[in-house]
Structure formats: structure tokens, C-alpha cells
Amino acid sequence: MGNVLPNNSREQQRKKQPSELQFYFVITKSYTYDITDYDTETFMLNKMRLLTPGPTPLPERVRLVLARDMIHHRKKAFTAIMREVQQKLQKLFGTAQPVLPLSASGTGAMTAAVHGLFTPGEKILVVEAGKFGQRWRDIAITRGLETVSLEVPWGQAVNAEQIEAALSADARIKGVLLQLSETSTGVLHPVQEIGRITRERDVLLVVDGISGVGLSPCPMDDWGLDCLLTGSQKGLMLPPGLSLLALSARAWNKATQTPSGCFYFNLPKERANLEKGQTLFTSPVNLLMGLNESLDMLLENGLEAVYAKQWALTMLTRAGLTALGLELFAPDHFAWGITSVHLPDGVDGVEVLRIAQQQYGVCMAGGQDHLKGRIVRIGHMGWVDWSDILAGLYALDRALLINGGYSGARDYLEQAMAAYRIALLGKPGEALPEALIRS
């Protein structure tokens, strides 16, 4: 018979041995999530929901395609995929012009546009209404352009009349650079109205649609855009690393006469290679295969169905936040893939995000620059549906309460779902009557 340990010694020995559950947490988390990001209890109980404005969740259909065996980017199998993708991209962009795939993030496409369309010394107008408007300015300065900034308070959209006044005051301006959707604030700029102004002048309209393409309407040819670009990790439901860029006929005319300021980004050479079903340099093969699948998903029921869903998710999010008594950061001109909201005074936004993620499994984004800790940005883009947003609203409400905030709302989830149902029955872009949501 072996030695008999006192009861307290047995308990100490038991505590030293990791349980099966502890082994499960260590093994699974080491292959999926950073072990410091989530509480073990949360990991076991909650699905992890990614509600950031990029990267976004990936559909299973896309993930399965991404996992396929590698093929060579100069062989027939790949060129066949490229030709399929091109037809679908032209439908997504609303253009008869080629859409160039670039092996780069969205910032790479922004760089390619500036270096490919303008020469040092030319004058351009930049709309600065957030972090990514500032990025346009920085890229333009790096290219040696004379830059005029039209500064707009963060949370507000530029007015088309402001653009017209600036162009009328200075005939030397050759381009307008702005965002369709400003990711740092959740603002939607009136790109269609601005296009009516620039198309009547010798001025190129260059639009960053990184958090807008595939989320809200932006038919490039109909709206008179000269350059539209986007990235893979938002509305297109892909990992980061691929960007897409299209030019109008007059922009192509300018690009062919503009000496490229960058060896890597050469738009005329990219177009020539695209005609052969290839990219200029090594292609992100798996991302383009995944893009082929994600475009199928977006186009299967028509883009109008996609926009209807995005508008309904936007209405759901805004109604829920308003019911919680929170102030929307973009009250009027707001994006369809991201909603930003002010936090109450005295509430630490960084801590709110930490608790929402660690205790409720919902990952959202905070503000940038002077807005860090003061706003929360909720992404409703990519492979996200109404149930994910309801989980995000609940996590935000609880995290606010834990951090000293307060809301007397008891039916905020019901109000959010009412807005969603009503929006689906209406026309995308039409405001909802508040009385109907509350009834």
C-alpha cells in the first residue's frame, strides 16, 4: 500500500496537474488565437467575432478556395482564372475599362494612382477629413506634387460646392483625391456629386474606395470617376494583400503620357500584362483564386441585394447605438460598412474594447490619432450578418457598464432589429422613420 497523503496535500498535488480543459485551451489557442488576447473562459464559451473595418471575417467558401494547391502564375490554369476575375471585377466597379490587380495593400494602390497619373510639380486638391485623407496628402507630397488640402472636420463629409469653389479659384489643379468612405471616421463623401463637377473640367477625380467598394453603390463610369481603387480585406471578404485599381479612358490617356515615378507600380505595363491574363510581377495566386470565389458570392444575387443587406446592417447598428443613448460620430453622411460612435466622458475607450474582446469575444476598433480612446468603430462589412452586430451591441453595452458608463435602455436590441427589418423592405439609402422603429 502506498503512502497516504493528507487531504490538503492531495489538493496541492491536484492543482499542480493541468486538467484536460487546460490542455484543450493551450493546444487550441496556440493554433488559432494569441493566448493573451482572450480569456480562457471566453474562448470556450463564445464564438470570436471580428467586427473591425478590416480585416473582416472570411466565408467558408473563400477559405476553402484559399486552401487549394498552388498553381503557377504564368500558366494556362491561372490565366483562365484571371480572365474570369476580370469580367466580374468590371461588373463590381461598374466600368468597361480593365481593373488591375496589384500585389499590395490598399495604400499600394493609392501610391500607384498618384505616381501613375501625376508628375512632380503638378497641383492637386486633397480632401482631408480623416486619417486616410491625410494619407493621400502624404503620398502626393512624396511624389513631389503641389498639394492643396481642403480640411474637413472629422465626422463630417466634404460639400461638393467646396470642391467646385476650390477648382474655380485655381485652374492649375489637375486632380482631386478623396475617399468614398473614410475608414477612420465612418463618413461617406458625396462622390457622385463631385464627379459631375470634375468631369466637366480637365481635372481627374481619384477615389479611394477601400472601405466602400462592394458595400455601397459606386458605379465608376456612370458617376464619372477617373480612378477607383480598393483593397481585398474589407467588402471583398479576403485576407489583406491584394488591391484593385481601375482608370477611366481619359485617365488612361494621362497615364500613358506620365513617366512612371515608381518601378514597381507601372500602370501601362500592368494593363499590357493583364491583356495576357497575367500581372506585371509575381501574382498573389491564392488571393486571386479566392477573389474569383468571393466575386461569385457578391454577384450571385446581384449587387443590389448586397447593397440592401449593407444598408440594413447600417440601420441596425445605428438604431441600436442610438437606443443605448450614444452619440453617432457621423450623424448625416455615413458609410454603409462602418459605424463610429462617441463614448461618454470619463469612459476609457481602450478598456471598453479590451473587455468586449476578452469577456464577450467581440473584436471592434477604436479611434485613431486624437480620437484614440474617444470613439468605437464597428465594422459591418464582409462576411458579417445581423446576429454578429447584435452580439457587438451587447458586448459594447456591457463593456460600457463595467467601465462606468450607463444606459437605461432595455430594448436596444429589439429597436436594432426593427430597423433592420424595415430597412430590408425599403430602398437602400432611404432614411427610416424613427416612430416606425419604436412601434
Side-chain angles (χ1 to χ4, degrees):
M1 181 176 179
N3 294 331
V4 178
L5 296 173
N7 287 337
N8 60 344
S9 296
R10 286 198 190 96
E11 181 65 16
Q12 291 172 1
Q13 288 290 103
R14 185 187 68 79
K15 288 182 177 179
K16 290 180 181 179
Q17 300 297 321
S19 67
E20 292 182 8
L21 188 60
Q22 287 172 318
F23 274 125
Y24 170 81
F25 287 139
V26 171
I27 293 172
T28 56
K29 293 178 98 171
S30 67
Y31 286 96
T32 53
Y33 300 99
D34 184 338
I35 199 167
T36 62
D37 282 349
Y38 303 96
D39 291 342
T40 52
E41 180 181 355
T42 301
F43 185 83
M44 184 65 178
L45 298 179
N46 294 326
K47 167 189 173 183
M48 296 303 137
R49 288 179 166 87
L50 186 60
L51 300 182
T52 62
T56 59
L58 307 182
E60 183 179 23
R61 282 173 56 176
V62 171
R63 287 187 279 117
L64 289 173
V65 171
L66 291 171
R68 289 178 183 170
D69 285 343
M70 180 59 58
I71 60 176
H72 197 275
H73 63 292
R74 304 296 187 202
K75 302 297 182 181
K76 288 183 179 180
F78 179 74
T79 59
I81 292 173
M82 283 285 283
R83 297 189 196 287
E84 286 184 34
V85 166
Q86 187 58 208
Q87 294 176 0
K88 298 168 189 176
L89 283 175
Q90 288 176 315
K91 293 179 182 178
L92 177 67
F93 275 61
T95 184
Q97 299 295 326
V99 182
L100 306 180
L102 302 174
S103 305
S105 67
T107 301
M110 295 170 73
T111 302
V114 171
H115 283 252
L117 293 173
F118 305 103
T119 56
E122 285 192 294
K123 196 170 190 177
I124 52 97
L125 177 68
V126 175
V127 176
E128 287 190 41
K131 185 71 174 179
F132 296 97
Q134 293 177 350
R135 185 163 298 178
W136 270 134
R137 178 201 63 199
D138 293 342
I139 294 171
I141 291 174
T142 301
R143 176 59 167 147
L145 305 183
E146 186 178 346
T147 304
V148 177
S149 292
L150 178 53
E151 296 185 358
V152 180
W154 290 30
Q156 297 180 24
V158 70
N159 191 298
E161 285 73 23
Q162 293 174 281
I163 301 289
E164 187 170 25
L167 296 180
S168 297
D170 193 341
R172 290 180 56 225
I173 294 175
K174 295 300 180 182
V176 176
L177 279 56
L178 81 162
Q179 275 65 39
L180 169 62
S181 165
E182 173 55 68
T183 313
S184 66
T185 63
V187 163
L188 191 73
H189 289 298
V191 169
Q192 183 177 12
E193 289 83 353
I194 296 169
R196 294 193 188 107
I197 296 167
T198 54
R199 71 197 312 173
E200 300 299 326
R201 302 166 183 260
D202 184 24
V203 176
L204 297 181
L205 178 57
V206 182
V207 179
D208 160 15
I210 294 172
S211 61
V213 171
L215 298 167
S216 59
C218 188
M220 179 178 170
D221 290 354
D222 287 349
W223 285 11
L225 312 188
D226 293 297
C227 176
L228 179 62
L229 60 93
T230 193
S232 55
Q233 75 277 17
K234 300 184 189 288
L236 299 185
M237 305 181 292
L238 289 167
L242 175 68
S243 60
L244 305 159
L245 181 150
L247 300 181
S248 67
R250 70 170 183 168
W252 273 118
N253 184 55
K254 178 77 182 294
T256 56
Q257 300 175 39
T258 301
S260 178
C262 180
F263 174 78
Y264 186 66
F265 296 120
N266 187 308
L267 300 182
K269 287 185 178 180
E270 282 286 1
R271 182 174 64 172
N273 269 49
L274 183 61
E275 291 172 356
K276 299 183 290 185
Q278 300 178 0
T279 57
L280 182 56
F281 300 107
T282 305
S283 311
V285 174
N286 290 78
L287 287 176
L288 286 161
M289 292 166 64
L291 176 62
N292 198 28
E293 186 68 24
S294 70
L295 289 171
D296 279 344
M297 295 181 68
L298 290 171
L299 297 172
E300 278 170 357
N301 296 306
L303 288 175
E304 286 305 315
V306 175
Y307 300 147
K309 173 207 169 187
Q310 286 303 135
W311 177 251
L313 288 178
T314 303
M315 294 297 96
L316 183 159
T317 309
R318 293 175 69 85
L321 293 171
T322 301
L324 284 172
L326 298 173
E327 180 186 356
L328 298 169
F329 189 68
D332 300 315
H333 301 277
F334 47 87
W336 294 19
I338 173 177
T339 298
S340 298
V341 63
H342 284 283
L343 293 176
D345 291 339
V347 173
D348 184 353
V350 174
E351 190 66 10
V352 166
L353 294 175
R354 185 190 68 80
I355 290 174
Q357 180 166 322
Q358 289 193 352
Q359 295 191 23
Y360 298 95
V362 177
C363 179
M364 296 174 283
Q368 296 175 289
D369 284 357
H370 63 283
L371 294 177
K372 184 175 182 179
R374 300 311 318 135
I375 68 170
V376 166
R377 296 180 295 149
I378 302 175
H380 33 90
M381 59 176 70
W383 191 238
V384 170
D385 69 6
W386 58 270
S387 62
D388 296 313
I389 304 303
L390 291 183
L393 291 171
Y394 181 80
L396 180 61
D397 176 54
R398 303 309 299 171
L400 284 170
L401 181 64
I402 293 170
N403 276 277
Y406 172 77
S407 173
R410 292 295 177 265
D411 65 342
Y412 64 96
L413 297 180
E414 288 81 0
Q415 289 189 45
M417 279 307 297
Y420 178 76
R421 291 193 298 270
I422 296 167
L424 281 178
L425 295 173
K427 183 179 179 181
E430 287 185 350
L432 307 184
E434 185 175 344
L436 192 58
I437 296 173
R438 294 180 176 275
S439 63

Short mmCIF file of all heavy atoms in Angstrom, two decimals, residues 343 347-357 364 376 395-396 399-400 403:
data_model
loop_
_atom_site.label_atom_id
_atom_site.label_comp_id
_atom_site.label_asym_id
_atom_site.label_seq_id
_atom_site.Cartn_x
_atom_site.Cartn_y
_atom_site.Cartn_z
N LEU A 343 -17.90 57.90 -27.23
CA LEU A 343 -18.02 57.30 -25.91
C LEU A 343 -18.29 58.39 -24.88
O LEU A 343 -17.86 59.54 -25.05
CB LEU A 343 -16.73 56.56 -25.55
CG LEU A 343 -16.43 55.32 -26.40
CD1 LEU A 343 -15.08 54.74 -26.01
CD2 LEU A 343 -17.53 54.28 -26.25
N VAL A 347 -15.17 57.59 -19.83
CA VAL A 347 -15.09 56.17 -20.17
C VAL A 347 -13.85 55.94 -21.04
O VAL A 347 -13.65 56.63 -22.04
CB VAL A 347 -16.35 55.70 -20.91
CG1 VAL A 347 -16.19 54.27 -21.42
CG2 VAL A 347 -17.56 55.78 -19.99
N ASP A 348 -13.01 55.00 -20.63
CA ASP A 348 -11.78 54.69 -21.35
C ASP A 348 -12.08 53.77 -22.52
O ASP A 348 -12.41 52.59 -22.33
CB ASP A 348 -10.79 54.03 -20.39
CG ASP A 348 -9.44 53.74 -21.04
OD1 ASP A 348 -9.31 53.92 -22.27
OD2 ASP A 348 -8.51 53.34 -20.31
N GLY A 349 -11.99 54.30 -23.75
CA GLY A 349 -12.31 53.51 -24.92
C GLY A 349 -11.41 52.31 -25.12
O GLY A 349 -11.86 51.27 -25.62
N VAL A 350 -10.15 52.44 -24.75
CA VAL A 350 -9.22 51.31 -24.90
C VAL A 350 -9.66 50.17 -24.00
O VAL A 350 -9.65 48.99 -24.40
CB VAL A 350 -7.78 51.76 -24.56
CG1 VAL A 350 -6.82 50.56 -24.57
CG2 VAL A 350 -7.30 52.83 -25.55
N GLU A 351 -10.09 50.50 -22.80
CA GLU A 351 -10.54 49.47 -21.86
C GLU A 351 -11.87 48.86 -22.31
O GLU A 351 -12.10 47.66 -22.15
CB GLU A 351 -10.68 50.08 -20.46
CG GLU A 351 -10.92 49.07 -19.35
CD GLU A 351 -9.75 48.13 -19.11
OE1 GLU A 351 -8.66 48.36 -19.67
OE2 GLU A 351 -9.93 47.16 -18.36
N VAL A 352 -12.73 49.67 -22.88
CA VAL A 352 -14.00 49.16 -23.41
C VAL A 352 -13.74 48.09 -24.47
O VAL A 352 -14.35 47.01 -24.46
CB VAL A 352 -14.84 50.31 -24.00
CG1 VAL A 352 -15.99 49.76 -24.86
CG2 VAL A 352 -15.41 51.18 -22.89
N LEU A 353 -12.83 48.37 -25.38
CA LEU A 353 -12.51 47.40 -26.44
C LEU A 353 -11.89 46.14 -25.86
O LEU A 353 -12.18 45.03 -26.33
CB LEU A 353 -11.57 48.04 -27.46
CG LEU A 353 -12.15 49.20 -28.28
CD1 LEU A 353 -11.07 49.81 -29.17
CD2 LEU A 353 -13.32 48.73 -29.13
N ARG A 354 -11.04 46.31 -24.86
CA ARG A 354 -10.39 45.14 -24.25
C ARG A 354 -11.42 44.22 -23.61
O ARG A 354 -11.40 43.00 -23.81
CB ARG A 354 -9.37 45.58 -23.20
CG ARG A 354 -8.55 44.44 -22.61
CD ARG A 354 -7.74 44.88 -21.41
NE ARG A 354 -8.60 45.23 -20.28
CZ ARG A 354 -9.14 44.33 -19.45
NH1 ARG A 354 -8.93 43.03 -19.65
NH2 ARG A 354 -9.89 44.72 -18.45
N ILE A 355 -12.34 44.79 -22.86
CA ILE A 355 -13.35 43.97 -22.18
C ILE A 355 -14.29 43.32 -23.19
O ILE A 355 -14.65 42.15 -23.06
CB ILE A 355 -14.13 44.84 -21.18
CG1 ILE A 355 -13.22 45.21 -20.01
CG2 ILE A 355 -15.38 44.11 -20.67
CD1 ILE A 355 -13.82 46.17 -19.02
N ALA A 356 -14.70 44.07 -24.22
CA ALA A 356 -15.59 43.50 -25.23
C ALA A 356 -14.95 42.28 -25.88
O ALA A 356 -15.63 41.28 -26.17
CB ALA A 356 -15.93 44.56 -26.27
N GLN A 357 -13.65 42.35 -26.10
CA GLN A 357 -12.96 41.24 -26.75
C GLN A 357 -12.68 40.10 -25.78
O GLN A 357 -12.96 38.94 -26.08
CB GLN A 357 -11.65 41.73 -27.36
CG GLN A 357 -10.84 40.63 -28.06
CD GLN A 357 -9.74 41.20 -28.93
OE1 GLN A 357 -9.93 42.22 -29.59
NE2 GLN A 357 -8.60 40.54 -28.95
N MET A 364 -13.67 44.88 -31.86
CA MET A 364 -14.03 46.10 -32.58
C MET A 364 -12.80 47.00 -32.63
O MET A 364 -11.75 46.67 -32.10
CB MET A 364 -15.21 46.79 -31.89
CG MET A 364 -16.49 45.96 -31.91
SD MET A 364 -17.86 46.68 -30.97
CE MET A 364 -17.37 46.27 -29.28
N VAL A 376 -15.58 54.39 -30.76
CA VAL A 376 -15.50 52.98 -31.14
C VAL A 376 -15.99 52.88 -32.57
O VAL A 376 -17.00 53.50 -32.94
CB VAL A 376 -16.36 52.10 -30.21
CG1 VAL A 376 -16.54 50.70 -30.80
CG2 VAL A 376 -15.71 52.00 -28.83
N ALA A 395 -22.07 43.35 -26.41
CA ALA A 395 -20.72 43.42 -25.82
C ALA A 395 -20.35 44.86 -25.50
O ALA A 395 -19.76 45.15 -24.45
CB ALA A 395 -19.71 42.81 -26.78
N LEU A 396 -20.69 45.80 -26.38
CA LEU A 396 -20.39 47.21 -26.15
C LEU A 396 -21.16 47.73 -24.95
O LEU A 396 -20.61 48.44 -24.09
CB LEU A 396 -20.73 48.02 -27.39
CG LEU A 396 -20.48 49.53 -27.31
CD1 LEU A 396 -19.01 49.83 -27.05
CD2 LEU A 396 -20.94 50.22 -28.59
N ALA A 399 -19.54 46.27 -21.78
CA ALA A 399 -18.21 46.85 -21.55
C ALA A 399 -18.33 48.29 -21.06
O ALA A 399 -17.54 48.73 -20.21
CB ALA A 399 -17.39 46.77 -22.82
N LEU A 400 -19.28 49.04 -21.59
CA LEU A 400 -19.50 50.40 -21.12
C LEU A 400 -19.92 50.41 -19.66
O LEU A 400 -19.45 51.23 -18.85
CB LEU A 400 -20.58 51.08 -21.97
CG LEU A 400 -20.16 51.56 -23.36
CD1 LEU A 400 -21.38 51.98 -24.17
CD2 LEU A 400 -19.18 52.72 -23.26
N ASN A 403 -17.13 49.84 -17.33
CA ASN A 403 -16.19 50.95 -17.29
C ASN A 403 -16.81 52.25 -16.78
O ASN A 403 -16.26 53.33 -17.00
CB ASN A 403 -15.62 51.18 -18.69
CG ASN A 403 -14.44 50.27 -18.98
OD1 ASN A 403 -13.31 50.54 -18.59
ND2 ASN A 403 -14.72 49.16 -19.64
#
